[in-house]
Amino acid sequence: MGFLSNRKALIVGVASNRSIAWGIAEAMHREGAEIALTYQNDKLKRRVEQCSKACGGGPVMPLDVTDDAQIDTVFQELSDTWGHLDIVVHAVGFAPREELEGSFVDNTTRGGYGMAHDISAYSFVALARGARPLMQGRNGSLLTLTYLGGERALPNYNVMGPAKASLEASVRYMASDLGGEGIRVNAVSAGPIRTLAASGIGDFRKMLDFNAAAAPMRRNVSIDEVGNTSAFLCSDLASGITGEVVHVDGGFHSVALAGSAMGGS
Ligand code: NAD
């Protein structure tokens, strides 16, 4: 029996089998959870349906997180099908591609700033509000995905940095609000991984190479590693952890200078 047996998980953010959300879905399914997936639009529907088949064939629903009515429908359908919910994973991020390169000051528009925050940060709060009634009495767990660019200024990450900072602050406020109901709220800060979303960030290849060279573990991380930590955080094994941002990045966040750049092996 896995450590998530009898748990029901909604995972938002699968776009392909390279998605971090997919690594999480596989790990949670392996540990015994039933998985519901959503797809952002019709273009992604078939791919997400295929992923769902590979992890037990649970509910698959459309969800654009900017649409409150769709959010309501997703939780109504889960209420009708499952009656309750134990886990929500939010692995969603977006900013206009043209704002993810060059000067942050020059290239960030009012519209892009608002959109990045709405889709990448506010939507986690909106999902929590929808999930809350279904999680009563179940020691529920909410998890989001963030990146070091929310804590430090990094080239090209630009407007996504403030959006991730807002998301991480939201984790702490949500944890404080919901802890009394036994609902825990955490984030995984993943190292760079080649996915569809990441391909929109300028010079992403260079970022991958630099991280691999500089991280204490001298390599990048995989969606499986992020998936395993996420499954742990959403399980009773992590029952004392909330309001936390856990880095799964080979230790990159912990060093100030690149080991290899300084002559280390
Ligand atoms: P991905 O492209 O596979 O996933 C991003 C998902 O966001 C997609 O499924 C997309 O459909 C969804 N999305 C975007 N706008 C949406 C909307 N309006 N409504 C519903 N869904 C929407 O890329 P990923 O790298 O797996 O990204 C998942 C999360 O991980 C993001 O929050 C990202 O910022 C974060 N993250 C990624 C990395 C990385 O290097 N890949 C590192 C740290 C954190």
Side-chain angles (χ1 to χ4, degrees):
M1 246 183 23
F3 59 70
L4 287 175
S5 57
N6 300 321
R7 294 302 169 114
K8 294 188 173 14
L10 168 66
I11 300 184
V12 180
V14 174
S16 76
N17 59 7
R18 291 182 158 219
S19 294
I20 292 176
W22 176 239
I24 297 172
E26 280 192 306
M28 289 190 171
H29 175 60
R30 184 195 67 221
E31 294 303 330
E34 282 182 66
I35 309 290
L37 299 179
T38 64
Y39 54 91
Q40 182 190 350
N41 52 42
D42 285 343
K43 242 173 33 193
L44 297 175
K45 182 176 180 196
R46 243 177 71 80
R47 243 189 277 165
V48 175
E49 282 173 345
Q50 280 164 358
C51 287
S52 171
K53 275 189 200 136
C55 67
V60 180
M61 298 158 284
L63 177 60
D64 182 320
V65 296
T66 61
D67 184 339
D68 287 332
Q70 276 193 23
I71 293 178
D72 289 346
T73 304
V74 162
F75 289 108
Q76 188 55 56
E77 285 190 21
L78 289 177
S79 172
D80 294 344
T81 314
W82 281 346
H84 58 260
L85 187 62
D86 301 291
I87 295 166
V88 174
V89 175
H90 169 271
V92 172
F94 181 81
R97 182 181 272 261
E98 58 278 12
E99 302 199 13
L100 296 174
E101 60 185 1
S103 162
F104 169 67
V105 173
D106 289 341
N107 293 352
T108 304
T109 64
R110 192 184 295 274
Y113 194 92
M115 190 185 292
H117 282 70
D118 183 18
I119 296 175
S120 315
Y122 174 73
S123 62
F124 188 41
V125 185
L127 292 183
R129 195 160 48 243
R132 185 179 196 172
L134 297 179
M135 287 187 162
Q136 295 306 306
R138 299 203 54 89
N139 292 336
S141 187
L142 307 171
L143 185 87
T144 188
L145 270 298
T146 186
Y147 181 57
L148 189 62
E151 301 170 57
R152 317 254 173 88
L154 297 171
N156 300 322
Y157 202 60
N158 292 3
V159 68
M160 279 304 293
K164 290 300 192 191
S166 164
L167 178 67
E168 291 175 25
S170 301
V171 165
R172 293 182 280 274
Y173 279 87
M174 289 159 68
S176 169
D177 244 18
L178 301 176
E181 296 165 27
I183 300 173
R184 297 180 298 106
V185 189
N186 292 295
V188 167
S189 184
I193 298 174
R194 196 193 290 277
T195 61
L196 285 175
S199 67
I201 301 165
D203 282 338
F204 186 73
R205 177 75 249 173
K206 277 192 198 158
M207 207 188 238
L208 273 175
D209 291 345
F210 183 77
N211 273 258
M217 295 184 75
R218 302 289 191 272
R219 64 169 177 82
N220 287 310
V221 296
S222 67
I223 61 169
D224 300 334
E225 289 175 307
V226 177
N228 286 336
T229 301
S230 302
F232 156 73
L233 280 172
C234 292
S235 78
D236 287 344
L237 294 174
S239 58
I241 303 176
T242 195
E244 190 63 270
V245 178
V246 177
H247 295 83
V248 180
D249 64 353
F252 181 82
H253 72 284
S254 67
V255 294
L257 286 171
S260 57
M262 294 296 288
S265 57

